Amino acid sequence: MARNSYAVFGMGSFGSKLALALTRQGNTVLICDSNPQRINELRDKVTEAVIGDVSNEDVVKELNVSKFDAVILSMSGYFEDQVLALTLLKQEGAKKVVVKSNSTIQERILYRLGADEVIQPELDVAERLSRRLSLSNITDIFEFRGSAIADVVVPSHLCGKPLRELDLRNKYNITVLLVCKSGANECSVGPDTVLAPGDQLTVFGGEKAIIELFKER
């Protein structure tokens, strides 16, 4: 059974990969692009494929966009078309519109026009990589609903103490989700788990709090 229903408009590199990934995860996915070649290459790999210009009012009406859980606009190379498509989607009652942007200026404009979410994939990846390279104890970190989830290596100032004593949730509003002991194949977590050098944690909390707590001092 399909999980959700999505429409992806714009079959460039990002849009194509997103549509295929959503389909692999069991979702119903409609794709639309004005380039017949791009649509024909993906037609058999998604639920439905339509050749059309989504900056055209008649095309958007025919697609019945209000039935989708979310519509993703990934035509960021054509910002004027992106703006027109966003306006039409909101007029036709799209529940949620996620728009790919190339710049902060575009992002501000798209939000003002009613976008529910604006993403800049290259910038997001670059920022995550820069944080990971700059902060040796944080192996990965990404935003999640206004907070962050991170994989971290236990710094020396937290070693030798059980989680109960550290009390990270009350002191820093950080929750330890998993503890992977150095050399062990399984991950677990408990209040009496004592942290040791080389242990890896998966934690949830504010990004700034995570970075400050788990950096080596």
Side-chain angles (χ1 to χ4, degrees):
M1 181 180 293
R3 296 179 181 178
N4 288 296
S5 178
Y6 297 102
V8 183
F9 297 158
M11 289 296 102
S13 176
F14 175 79
S16 299
K17 291 177 181 177
L18 176 62
L20 294 176
L22 288 170
T23 302
R24 286 195 299 269
Q25 292 166 9
N27 300 293
T28 297
V29 179
L30 175 144
I31 62 172
C32 185
D33 194 289
S34 59
N35 186 322
Q37 181 178 349
R38 291 178 179 174
I39 291 297
N40 290 331
E41 289 173 351
L42 297 167
R43 185 178 299 278
D44 297 332
K45 300 177 181 179
V46 296
T47 310
E48 186 177 356
V50 176
I51 299 171
D53 178 4
V54 293
S55 64
N56 182 295
E57 184 175 4
D58 293 333
V59 172
V60 174
K61 285 183 177 180
E62 289 180 6
L63 291 174
N64 190 19
V65 295
S66 62
K67 69 181 181 182
F68 298 104
D69 293 289
V71 178
I72 299 91
L73 286 176
S74 60
M75 312 124 54
S76 56
Y78 305 92
F79 187 62
E80 183 177 344
D81 290 344
Q82 192 99 307
V83 167
L84 289 172
L86 171 60
T87 302
L88 292 171
L89 287 169
K90 301 305 287 188
Q91 288 177 354
E92 293 300 316
K95 297 174 185 175
K96 180 177 181 179
V97 183
V98 180
V99 191
K100 180 176 179 286
S101 166
N102 287 330
S103 69
T104 302
I105 293 176
Q106 288 185 2
E107 179 180 358
R108 288 200 296 266
I109 294 171
L110 292 166
Y111 272 125
R112 288 174 183 171
L113 292 174
D116 297 286
E117 184 176 348
V118 180
I119 58 172
Q120 296 185 56
E122 291 184 356
L123 178 60
D124 294 341
V125 171
E127 289 184 347
R128 284 180 60 195
L129 179 59
S130 69
R131 288 197 298 264
R132 183 163 60 83
L133 294 175
S134 301
L135 301 165
S136 59
N137 276 31
I138 299 178
T139 57
D140 201 4
I141 185 169
F142 60 94
E143 185 179 354
F144 181 79
R145 296 182 179 180
S147 297
I149 294 177
D151 291 328
V152 302
V153 177
V154 176
S156 57
H157 65 274
L158 297 180
C159 290
K161 300 176 182 179
L163 291 175
R164 187 193 307 276
E165 180 182 337
L166 291 170
D167 197 19
L168 302 182
R169 181 178 296 178
N170 289 322
K171 291 181 179 179
Y172 305 98
N173 200 25
I174 292 175
T175 301
V176 178
L177 303 176
L178 286 174
V179 178
C180 295
K181 303 298 290 184
S182 179
N185 294 324
E186 296 183 358
C187 298
S188 61
V189 64
D192 296 319
T193 301
V194 177
L195 301 183
D199 288 353
Q200 294 187 337
L201 313 179
T202 299
V203 300
F204 175 79
E207 182 175 318
K208 290 183 179 180
I210 291 173
I211 291 173
E212 180 63 26
L213 179 62
F214 290 100
K215 69 182 180 181
E216 197 63 65
R217 298 175 182 173

